[in-house]
Every structure is written in structure tokens, then in C-alpha cells.
């Protein structure tokens, strides 16, 4: 018989009936994250005004010893393979204008320092928030004369990871004062609390009300987004934020929105705000 | 903004817990005891295994079976006439028990190595060390592999 | 294939036992999986990794499909002289990745 399907059928029942209190590790682990004994990462921070939780905690605290150790050593972190690939893309000429990212922005260590910490950001021309992936695509089309990357394809994940990695350790801060960011924040908040799918779960069901507990063997975190694109052990690869959003929504057994749709951009604005104060961890290491 | 799809409680026939089968598929479920015995026999050529000189380090719990850290260390002077030749790793509960074989030389200085392996389920991991003098050592650990609820 | 990552200490003293770490990008297709149509996906892994110093073998690994994607190896080497480490990865299709790292004595 197909064993995995049997498990899947039972999963719905398990989730809807119980959030199991931790049997192995209760709540977030007490530990501090210093990458390569050098870069201090803020993994606990006082929450922003209006945040329902008293403290925001990085998902790093919810992982096992060996997974946490992998993130603390940039060499052991498989996501750094993607970052290196992104570094090569940064100086690769593409498109009709004969330009690379580097042609305009020179050394990313200087020009991109801090940038990953302040996105998503209001974009006046398009009248919506822009994340790093959309910013890269706008640059490719407007300045390089190149095709935009399709979602999760081409160099999108490695280049996004490389750019965000230039802000490693910087505290996340989104500017809700610009343009209509407040409106998008509100739309994102509404989605965060909206129950959805056959399992009737909202983001808050797991990540606000039950973080620190287990869904079956999965230790629920606060769902902060400061480490994306994240290296996931399951896929052995970088996973983008919108892929993770879609995965979460799929797990509630709902249809999921398109990447970079209004829904997911609103959710990105709101969840990034929820994790404000935590350092950029890109590429974080998760299960 | 359009929000219909996210808001509708639509049916989706997703299998949420395919984690176990992600890398191992639905072919053979686990190694036969005979496969494990055969691999051990091939490595040891029938010699009895002692205990003590070989340390196998694995996590008690692996939160994802697709990448489980594993280290071995064998006490040895690592000189030209007394060194550790190789260490074989076996996962008794995988579809195929062989994981890897580390080959050392006196130039290794220390018979110590680490890698990351795939474990299909909770099971015993076995390490066997072969020394240049023909001695065999064995160590084994149980690793609990958790099946996460969230595929993502 | 992407460039492998290798970590070797830059300065060592004669007689030191040093730690070497390597990480290479590879999907390590196990041969145990099936595609959406139910057809088996052929095995495609790195099956051998080796490290030499000035032409002498230091460490090698025979690799089976149970090694995780993006294979990582950490091992030791005793260094008596300055020279060059050579690293080689070979996959099932015969593709070879090679890299070198020089060290000097302090």
C-alpha cells in the first residue's frame, strides 16, 4: 500500500484536533547565534508597537542543535552555494544594453549593504510594494534590456539571496509611512488572521497561537521571514519566501495565490513587519 | 486586490506529508537484514569486530532525514605501520544500507571525518573501522527521524 | 557545475594536523525516486571524492546514494611541508570536478 498517502490522510485529523505540547524541546531554545564567531545575529527582539506578541523570535531558536550549528558556520551552510552563484550573476552581463548589476551598482558589499533589511518597499511607479525579486526584475527590464526572471527560475533565488546576504546581521525595518504601505500592511494583516482551506487554519493558528508547540513532529516557529531565501534541509536548496507562503497555504488545503500577487505581497509586507528588529539571516538554515 | 482563491475554502488534493518519500520514493521500503550482513561481511572478511576505539557521532533526533550530520573518529597513531585504513557507514533502515566509506592514510594525521547523510526513517546507523593491522571495530547509534507536518 | 567550496587554513606549522572542509553543489539523485508519471528517476550521484597533497593520497570517500544533496566532507590532514592540495569529485556520468588549494608553512 502507499504508505505516504496513508499518512497524509491522517494528517488532517491530527492537525485539527491537537497542537501537541512539546515532548522533546519545549518552546524556543536558549542560545545565541554568532556566524563564523564574527557576525552577531539578533534572534530575539522586542516587538513593534501593535504586535500581538511581546517578543519576536527567529525561527533559528526552534531548530535542533545540528541545524542551528549549520547556520552558525557559513561554510557548513548549504545556502552559501546559492549566495556564491548569486555573486557570479551580479557581474554577469545580460540583455540588450550590455550591462550587469555591477555595471551600475559596482561592489555589492557597499552598494547593497542594508538594502535587504528595508525591503519590501513602496514603489511609486507601479503603485505597489516591491520586494527584492521584483526590484531585480525591474532592473533587468528597464536598465539591462533583459528578460525578467520567472518565479523561482533562472537566477532569481541565488541573486536575491546574494543581495539580502549583504545585509547579514542588519535589523529588519520596513517603512510603512511611504505611499500606500499602511493599506498593504492592513490587507496583509487581514490575510494573516483569515482561516482558510479544508483544515480551516490561519497563519496565526500556527505561528501566533501555537508557536513553540508541535504539529506532529514539526516544531512551530513564529513564522518570521528574516532568513529568506532560506536553505531547507528537506529540499537541499534555497527556498524563496513566496514558495514558503504557497507551501504553508497549500498545507491548510486551500488553493494558493500566485507568487508576487497582491495577496502575497500584502502578506510579505505584514509578516516582514512582524519580524522587525530581527537581523537579516539570509540564507538561514531550516528543516 | 483580488483575494478570492486564498479566501475560498477550496479542495486541494495535496499530500501534505510526502516528506519521508521525498528522496527515497516508494520503491523498496527498507534494507533487508541480509543486505546489511552482506555489506558487513564484504568489509570485515569475517573478522570479529571489537568495540571502543571507534566513536560514531550522530544526533539523537534528526529534524529532517534528508540531511543528518554524522562523524566518525578512530583512536590510532596514524603512522605508516599502524593506521586506520577505512570506516564504512551503514544505515540499517534505508532502502540500500550503504552510506559511504571513508578511506584514510597515514597522511590523514587523524582518522576523523564528517559528512551528511539521508535516513529514510528512525533506525540504527552502524560504523565499522578497519585498521592496517587487520583489527575491526564497530559502533552503532539509533537516530530518530521526525516526519514533519509541513511540506512547504 | 558550480565551483566547489573548500576551506583549508592559510598558514600552518610543519607537523600540524589541519581540518579541511569541502562542499560541492550536486542534487545527488538517489535512483530510488519516481517522477510524476511513476517512472523511476535514474541514479545520478557523485560517487567518489578524493584529496591528495603533493601527489600523495590523504583521504578519499566512496559515496553511495544515501549521502545528502550538496555533499559535505570534513576531514584531517597532517602537513609536513608547503604544497598543494588537490580535490577531485567524480559523478555517475563521469563528470570530474577538480580544485586545488595551496598552503605555505609559517
Amino acid at each position: 500500500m502507499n504508505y505516504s498517502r496513508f499518512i497524509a490522510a491522517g494528517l488532517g485529523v491530527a492537525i485539527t484536533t491537537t497542537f501537541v505540547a512539546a515532548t522533546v524541546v519545549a518552546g524556543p531554545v536558549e542560545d545565541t547565534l554568532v556566524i563564523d564567531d564574527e557576525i552577531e545575529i539578533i534572534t530575539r527582539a522586542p516587538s513593534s508597537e501593535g504586535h500581538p506578541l511581546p517578543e519576536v523570535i527567529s525561527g533559528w531558536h526552534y531548530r535542533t542543535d545540528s541545524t542551528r550549528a549549520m547556520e552558525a558556520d557559513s561554510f557548513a551552510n548549504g545556502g552559501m552555494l546559492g549566495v556564491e552563484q548569486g555573486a557570479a550573476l551580479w557581474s554577469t552581463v545580460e540583455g540588450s544594453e550590455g550591462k550587469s548589476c555591477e555595471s551600475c551598482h559596482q561592489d555589492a558589499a557597499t552598494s547593497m549593504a542594508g538594502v535587504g533589511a528595508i525591503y519590501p518597499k513602496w514603489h511609486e511607479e507601479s503603485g505597489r510594494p516591491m520586494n527584492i525579486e521584483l526590484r531585480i526584475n525591474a532592473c533587468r527590464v528597464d536598465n539591462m534590456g533583459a528578460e525578467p526572471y520567472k518565479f523561482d527560475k533562472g537566477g532569481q533565488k541565488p541573486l536575491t539571496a546574494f543581495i539580502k546576504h549583504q545585509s547579514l546581521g542588519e535589523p529588519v525595518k520596513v517603512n510603512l509611512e511611504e505611499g500606500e504601505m499602511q493599506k498593504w500592511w492592513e490587507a496583509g494583516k487581514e490575510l494573516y488572521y483569515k482561516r482558510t482551506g479544508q483544515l480551516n487554519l490561519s497563519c496565526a493558528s500556527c505561528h501566533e497561537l501555537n508557536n513553540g508547540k508541535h504539529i506532529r513532529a514539526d516544531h512551530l516557529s513564529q513564522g518570521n521571514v528574516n532568513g529568506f531565501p532560506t536553505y531547507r534541509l528537506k529540499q537541499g536548496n534555497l527556498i524563496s519566501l513566496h514558495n514558503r507562503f504557497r507551501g504553508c497555504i497549500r498545507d491548510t488545503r486551500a488553493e494558493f495565490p500566485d507568487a508576487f500577487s497582491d495577496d502575497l505581497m500584502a502578506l510579505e509586507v505584514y509578516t516582514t513587519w512582524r519580524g522587525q528588529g530581527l537581523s537579516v539571516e539570509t540564507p538561514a538554515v531550516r528543516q | 486586490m483580488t483575494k478570492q482563491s486564498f479566501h475560498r475554502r477550496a479542495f486541494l488534493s495535496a499530500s501534505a506529508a510526502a516528506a519521508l518519500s521525498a528522496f527515497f520514493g516508494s520503491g523498496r521500503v527498507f534494507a533487508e537484514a541480509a543486505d546489511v550482513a552482506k555489506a558487513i561481511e564484504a568489509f570485515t572478511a569475517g573478522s570479529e569486530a571489537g568495540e571502543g576505539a571507534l566513536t560514531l557521532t550522530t544526533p539523537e533526533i534528526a529534524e529532517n532525514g534528508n540531511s543528518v550530520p554524522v562523524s566518525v573518529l578512530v583512536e590510532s597513531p596514524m603512522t605508516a605501520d599502524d593506521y586506520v585504513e577505512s570506516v564504512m557507514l551503514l544505515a540499517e533502515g534505508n532502502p540500500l544500507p550503504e552510506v559511504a566509506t571513508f578511506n584514510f592514510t597515514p597522511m590523514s594525521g587523524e582518522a576523523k571525518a564528517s559528512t551528511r547523510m539521508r535516513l529514510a526513517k528512525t533506525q540504527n546507523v552502524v560504523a565499522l573501522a578497519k585498521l592496517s593491522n587487520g583489527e575491526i571495530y564497530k559502533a552503532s547509534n539509533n537516530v530518530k527521524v521526525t516526519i514533519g507536518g509541513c511540506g512547504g | 557545475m558550480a565551483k566547489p567550496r573548500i576551506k583549508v587554513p592559510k598558514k600552518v606549522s610543519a607537523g600540524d594536523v589541519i581540518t579541511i572542509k569541502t562542499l560541492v553543489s550536486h542534487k545527488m539523485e538517489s535512483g530510488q525516486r519516481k517522477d510524476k508519471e511513476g517512472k523511476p528517476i535514474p541514479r545520478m550521484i557523485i560517487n567518489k571524492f578524493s584529496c591528495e597533497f603533493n601527489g600523495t593520497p590523504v583521504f578519499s570517500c566512496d559515496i553511495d546514494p544515501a549521502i545528502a544533496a550538496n555533499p559535505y566532507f570534513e576531514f584531517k590532514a597532517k602537513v609536513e611541508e608547503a604544497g598543494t592540495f588537490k580535490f577531485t569529485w567524480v559523478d555517475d556520468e563521469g563528470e570530474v570536478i577538480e580544485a586545488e588549494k595551496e598552503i605555505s608553512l609559517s
Side-chain angles (χ1 to χ4, degrees):
Chain A
M1 75 176 283
N2 188 326
Y3 187 55
S4 64
R5 192 160 297 164
F6 175 72
I7 295 174
L11 179 64
V13 180
I15 291 179
T16 46
T17 51
T18 39
F19 281 95
V20 187
T23 50
V24 185
V25 188
V29 177
E30 283 301 327
D31 199 353
T32 50
L33 176 56
V34 183
I35 295 175
D36 298 342
D37 298 319
E38 199 180 315
I39 303 157
E40 288 182 29
I41 302 295
I42 306 161
T43 56
R44 285 174 174 270
S47 54
S48 306
E49 200 189 324
H51 197 298
L53 300 171
E55 187 187 25
V56 290
I57 304 173
S58 160
W60 182 78
H61 283 280
Y62 297 82
R63 305 280 53 96
T64 59
D65 294 356
S66 60
T67 309
R68 293 202 315 284
M70 210 185 280
E71 188 174 332
D73 177 357
S74 71
F75 193 89
N77 181 346
M80 292 302 289
L81 287 164
V83 169
E84 285 192 353
Q85 203 188 328
L89 289 167
W90 179 260
S91 42
T92 303
V93 172
E94 273 186 81
S96 58
E97 303 305 305
K99 286 180 187 170
S100 68
C101 306
E102 196 179 25
S103 312
C104 295
H105 301 288
Q106 286 89 36
D107 184 5
T110 312
S111 63
M112 294 296 123
V115 168
I118 58 163
Y119 272 72
K121 193 175 181 307
W122 183 249
H123 186 247
E124 195 56 48
E125 294 93 285
S126 60
R128 62 200 299 266
M130 199 172 239
N131 59 12
I132 298 285
E133 287 91 336
L134 294 176
R135 179 68 262 173
I136 292 169
N137 274 351
C139 258
R140 287 176 66 82
V141 173
D142 300 342
N143 304 324
M144 293 167 69
E147 287 291 310
Y149 288 132
K150 293 196 172 86
F151 172 54
D152 272 356
K153 295 282 193 288
Q156 187 170 74
K157 285 192 287 178
L159 192 53
T160 301
F162 171 70
I163 291 170
K164 289 197 117 174
H165 185 66
Q166 307 310 312
S167 305
L168 184 69
E170 289 291 314
V172 172
K173 177 98 177 77
V174 282
N175 187 350
L176 298 179
E177 309 297 316
E178 272 188 305
E180 295 172 22
M181 285 292 274
Q182 191 63 40
K183 246 175 75 181
W184 286 76
W185 178 91
E186 274 153 26
K189 184 180 179 185
E190 195 188 320
L191 290 172
Y192 192 90
Y193 288 100
K194 193 99 182 173
R195 285 178 178 272
T196 183
Q198 282 185 313
L199 300 184
N200 202 28
L201 294 169
S202 68
C203 306
S205 309
C206 288
H207 298 292
E208 181 173 310
L209 300 171
N210 288 292
N211 75 78
K213 294 179 188 166
H214 283 75
I215 281 190
R216 300 176 71 234
D218 217 340
H219 195 198
L220 291 168
S221 73
Q222 287 186 355
N224 287 314
V225 300
N226 55 311
F228 282 91
T230 286
Y231 187 77
R232 286 196 89 206
L233 301 179
K234 178 175 185 273
Q235 290 90 350
N237 211 339
L238 287 174
I239 299 300
S240 66
L241 176 59
H242 286 231
N243 183 359
R244 184 64 267 205
F245 279 155
R246 286 156 57 94
C248 262
I249 297 166
R250 180 203 59 203
D251 287 352
T252 71
R253 300 188 185 173
E255 282 182 2
F256 41 86
D258 286 342
F260 316 130
S261 60
D262 286 353
D263 279 344
L264 293 192
M265 286 309 299
L267 201 55
E268 179 169 352
V269 168
Y270 180 70
T271 54
T272 306
W273 170 85
R274 280 180 78 106
Q276 273 194 155
L278 296 174
S279 291
V280 172
E281 284 180 43
T282 309
V285 180
R286 300 291 184 260
Q287 78 285 21
Chain B
M1 280 184 231
T2 52
K3 293 184 198 141
Q4 296 91 328
S5 60
F6 191 1
H7 297 172
R8 213 172 63 217
R9 290 181 200 173
F11 180 82
L12 183 77
S13 62
S15 83
L20 241 189
S21 58
F23 271 102
F24 292 100
S26 50
R28 291 182 68 183
V29 180
F30 50 82
E32 313 267 334
D35 295 339
V36 178
K38 221 169 100 184
I40 293 176
E41 169 65 27
F43 186 78
T44 63
S47 300
E48 279 296 306
E51 286 188 12
L54 167 63
T55 308
L56 170 66
T57 308
T58 49
E60 205 176 315
I61 297 166
E63 62 188 328
N64 196 301
N66 288 329
S67 183
V68 183
V70 54
S71 301
V72 296
L73 170 66
V74 192
E75 287 166 34
S76 164
M78 296 303 275
T79 57
D81 31 284
D82 185 5
Y83 66 98
V84 180
E85 282 182 359
S86 52
V87 174
M88 179 174 68
L89 286 172
L90 297 172
E92 288 186 347
N94 272 3
L96 302 168
E98 293 86 358
V99 175
T101 302
F102 300 129
N103 304 300
F104 300 97
T105 71
M107 289 271 290
S108 304
E110 212 180 317
K112 187 179 180 187
S114 307
T115 186
R116 296 176 192 148
M117 63 186 166
R118 293 168 172 158
L119 296 180
K121 60 171 186 174
T122 294
Q123 58 179 283
N124 285 325
V125 175
V126 176
L128 286 155
K130 190 192 293 178
L131 275 53
S132 58
N133 62 12
E135 283 176 1
I136 303 283
Y137 291 94
K138 185 182 176 186
S140 90
N141 286 346
N142 187 262
V143 182
K144 292 184 182 70
V145 176
T146 60
I147 306 158
C150 302
Chain C
M1 268 190 266
K3 221 176 88 192
R5 304 189 81 212
I6 298 163
K7 196 172 184 181
V8 172
K10 282 190 187 72
K11 287 272 181 186
V12 296
S13 304
D16 280 359
V17 175
I18 61 168
T19 299
I20 297 176
K21 297 179 183 181
T22 66
L23 183 66
V24 65
S25 177
H26 201 281
K27 62 188 172 177
M28 297 292 284
E29 188 60 59
S30 70
Q32 299 286 321
R33 298 201 303 161
K34 288 178 180 166
D35 64 16
K36 280 175 188 149
E37 280 83 47
K39 288 193 220 109
I41 304 171
R43 177 185 130 150
M44 173 42 184
I45 66 165
I46 288 178
N47 56 55
K48 182 87 184 177
F49 165 71
S50 52
C51 168
E52 293 178 356
F53 183 67
N54 292 344
T56 311
V58 173
F59 171 83
S60 70
C61 185
D62 304 309
I63 302 166
D64 292 291
I67 291 296
N70 304 330
Y72 172 84
F73 295 106
E74 186 178 327
F75 54 95
K76 300 283 183 176
K78 189 170 188 179
V79 178
E80 302 284 7
E81 57 183 355
T84 307
F85 282 102
K86 187 179 168 192
F87 305 90
T88 312
W89 294 259
V90 184
D91 75 17
D92 285 344
E93 287 173 2
E95 188 168 349
V96 177
I97 308 168
E98 284 179 323
E100 291 189 346
K101 283 274 175 188
E102 279 183 30
I103 54 157
S104 52
L105 296 185
S106 59

